[in-house]
Amino acid sequence: MNFSDTWSNLKTKVVEALLECVTPGIIVKTDVINSLEEPPDKSFGDLASTLPFTLAKKLKKPPLKIAQEIVSELKKIDQVKKIKILGNGYINFFIDYPKYSKETLNLVLSLLEKYGNANFFEGKKVIIEYPAVNPSKPWHIGHARNAILGDTMSRILNAVGFNNVLRIDYINDLGLQIAQLYFILKQKEKWNYTGKYDHFLGKAYVKAVKQIEGNKQKEEEVREILKLMEEGDNETSEKIKKIAFKCVRAQYETAYRLNIFHDLIVWESDIVHSGLFKKALERMLECEHIERLESGAIIAKIDIFDEFKEMKEPYKVLVRPDGTATYLAADIAFQMWKFGKIEDVLRYRILEQNENTLWTTSQEGKEKKFNGADYVINVIGAEQAFPQRLMYLSLKLMGFEKEYKNSYHLAYEHVWLPETKFRGREGTWIGYTTDDMINEAIERARLEVEKKNPNLDLDTKIQISEAVGIGAIRYSMIKSAPEKKITFRWDEVLDFNGDAAPYIQYAHARSCRILEKSKLDPLEIIKDANFELIKTENEKDLVLLISKFPSLVLNIIKRMKQTPWGTKIDINLLPAYAYKLATAFNQFYTNCPVLSSEEEIKIMRVILVKATQQTLNNVLNLMGITALERM
RNA sequence: GGGCCCAUGGCCUAGCCAGGAUAAGGCAGCGGCCUCCUAAGCCGCGGAUCGCGGGUUCAAAUCCCGCUGGGCCCGCCA
């Protein structure tokens, strides 16, 4: 399938044409590409170049004169109707809309749900990990940000040609949190609780922390539990595994409500008890910069990296003298597994099968190979930038240069409460779990539905409320850039007006109703459509925006940038685009009647509506938000 | 001590990485628009020393240097 798109084609042609007008050697192609910009006002045209300014100094001529020279030599571009010099040297291109619309709308209607996809990364496998919450509590709103980012990212990755995206969740069932939790749970044979299991555990954990902290004897008991967990194959570790499983399944009820899915759960206990970790450690020891000390500790010497040369003790401990592994070692081992640098000795079984198949690692499972990725993305809070980088550098230390380069820490800042931040041990999350947020969102949406559409049947009302509530949450979590902290306020997240998911869903629903009432088949009538009739600014705006969708999606991935903070990604371009498209459609809706127009215009507009509806649908899908047909 | 992130109208954000034309939206406020495809919408009004100070450039919210304020990170912790 050919995924080329009309906007990129146009830009490529403009760049080539401009390049031909400049003496070779003065300027490179990138300069021309970078000179392109979208004019601040559409009366200035659809695309502009500031090339004359760049050239002014080199050619020692005023920009205006250069612009005139370039334009006089510029060859004809099919999709460009006219070229105009504005200001003191901007070259502005005006699109030939009849031609451009025909190409764009035909493309959309031929690709349908695939419009916006690309085959850029075809044949590549990517493993993405999120949100890796401890199996001892419910997700709070901050975990939702992580999971929504990860899930949205997976959807985008799929769209740009990674036909092999493995979404994994890593569960730390050997950690201190669950040991402390077990300390309190084992005090009673049977616990009566109401509500979800993960909520019950979360509250029990808060109690446990209060009991244990500062009490030497109790802390010792917890250490005993930790040791038993690490060893495995005993009653304590079995019981804890059951608790963790039950907890994760409760957490996943929350995930499913948010349209968040995984392909595989990996348990830390399975990594350790399957011998995978041991295998990884053996491989690490082959590295000349990793060695075992007399004390029995295993360390990585990192002084070969310039940035650590100044350190007093330029090494990192991987394994303590008592034989227990540090987090760094566990992370390295897992990352090696992800890249297929160690044999996959894990065993797997299917845990849940709904519209999605969820696998889990399991000692009783069967052999299967899940690992071996070209790219690995870990969705983890920005506060872990340093440990993440250290882990990637360790791969480099071992000679895994390519794997080092292809490791992405998709970082994001935390969600805060207006007065404080989320602290698991203090229970500040109580009242702010993801479930609380979902329930509140759906309830508020339900009130709106009741107000706006009291005559719908109950099932439809419920369905709409859920889609609107969930959509609002997902949208609010990706609309601000990952490097900005989000302060959680009910009224902002659950405001269904303006720049929010329901606005986009509403535009989509409106477009569906027009198509439905028109009783025309857009795929049939497109061959008779006359795009010379596209004349209004509203129609042109729509066509132009629709045409920009594929390159927007692809660029989100292509422009991912690794920095010391973590990987920067413009995932917020997705909601921003969706909002712009919905706005353009709502304006069109107000000003351009479809059904009541004369036949030829009606046909043309039905096609435009279909293309808009399809693009809205596709962008909503990428965001994991349900595209409603009515609301 | 070293490093990273953030700072844009009353509030929330886009634009910054790839410098360009009157800084773009939402919320809140005020005022209009439903005999016409769903008013969860559309149109209009008011409101911004783009944290501060320098520098680079024909051009700086955007790049560089230095500050200030807020957050985060630098353990054989988890």
Side-chain angles (χ1 to χ4, degrees), chain A residues 43-44 71 82-86 90-94:
Chain A
S43 68
F44 295 166
V71 170
K82 68 173 175 183
I83 298 165
K84 221 165 142 185
I85 298 165
L86 289 169
Y90 293 91
I91 304 175
N92 292 38
F93 299 85
F94 291 75

Side-chain angles (χ1 to χ4, degrees), chain A residues 451-500:
Chain A
K451 206 158 47 178
K452 309 224 144 102
N453 258 318
N455 298 325
L456 291 173
D457 63 90
L458 188 63
D459 278 357
T460 312
K461 280 178 182 168
I462 290 171
Q463 192 204 330
I464 293 170
S465 315
E466 283 178 358
V468 166
I470 298 303
I473 290 169
R474 289 194 63 128
Y475 191 91
S476 75
M477 288 293 153
I478 55 168
K479 96 167 169 179
S480 39
E483 60 267 26
K484 306 243 185 186
K485 89 174 193 190
I486 292 178
T487 304
F488 181 86
R489 295 186 185 91
W490 289 110
D491 288 342
E492 280 168 24
V493 176
L494 306 180
D495 188 342
F496 298 153
N497 299 309
D499 188 3

Side-chain angles (χ1 to χ4, degrees), chain A residues 55 203 209 238 261 344 437 514 620:
Chain A
L55 291 171
K203 287 174 203 153
V209 169
E238 295 296 317
F261 300 98
D344 195 352
M437 178 169 62
I514 294 176
L620 284 168

Side-chain angles (χ1 to χ4, degrees), chain A residues 13-28:
Chain A
K13 283 185 184 172
V14 168
V15 168
E16 280 167 5
L18 285 170
L19 210 49
E20 280 176 26
C21 303
V22 184
T23 321
I26 298 180
I27 216 159
V28 293

Side-chain angles (χ1 to χ4, degrees), chain A residues 3 37 46 58 64 77 149 201 210 215 268 276 284 296 334 348 473 529 536 544 575 584 629:
Chain A
F3 286 116
E37 65 167 67
D46 301 300
K58 302 189 179 186
L64 196 58
I77 299 165
L149 263 174
L201 292 185
K210 280 189 193 133
N215 184 320
E268 186 180 16
L276 186 78
M284 288 180 218
F334 193 29
Y348 305 93
I473 290 169
T536 68
L544 187 59
E629 289 182 15

Side-chain angles (χ1 to χ4, degrees), chain A residues 234-289:
Chain A
N234 56 64
E235 202 193 328
T236 299
S237 77
E238 295 296 317
K239 278 186 175 162
I240 285 173
K241 185 80 187 233
K242 278 202 182 109
I243 293 165
F245 246 99
K246 204 170 163 189
C247 183
V248 169
R249 298 191 81 145
Q251 291 172 341
Y252 275 36
E253 282 175 34
T254 310
Y256 296 154
R257 294 178 81 189
L258 286 170
N259 297 328
I260 289 165
F261 300 98
H262 288 90
D263 303 300
L264 174 67
I265 299 177
V266 177
W267 300 81
E268 186 180 16
S269 59
D270 287 331
I271 289 185
V272 171
H273 300 148
S274 68
L276 186 78
F277 179 75
K278 218 172 164 187
K279 265 194 152 41
L281 198 59
E282 280 163 18
R283 179 62 189 79
M284 288 180 218
L285 280 164
E286 286 173 24
C287 168
E288 58 172 320
H289 305 288

Side-chain angles (χ1 to χ4, degrees), chain A residues 36-37 46 64 85 162 178 180 192-193 200 203 270 329 333 338 351 361 415 479 487 535 568 615:
Chain A
L36 293 184
E37 65 167 67
D46 301 300
L64 196 58
I85 298 165
F162 286 97
I178 192 156
Q180 291 175 322
N192 289 316
Y193 64 93
F200 157 68
K203 287 174 203 153
D270 287 331
K338 286 174 180 171
L351 181 63
T361 58
V415 177
K479 96 167 169 179
T487 304
K535 292 205 169 87
K568 296 223 168 158
T615 308

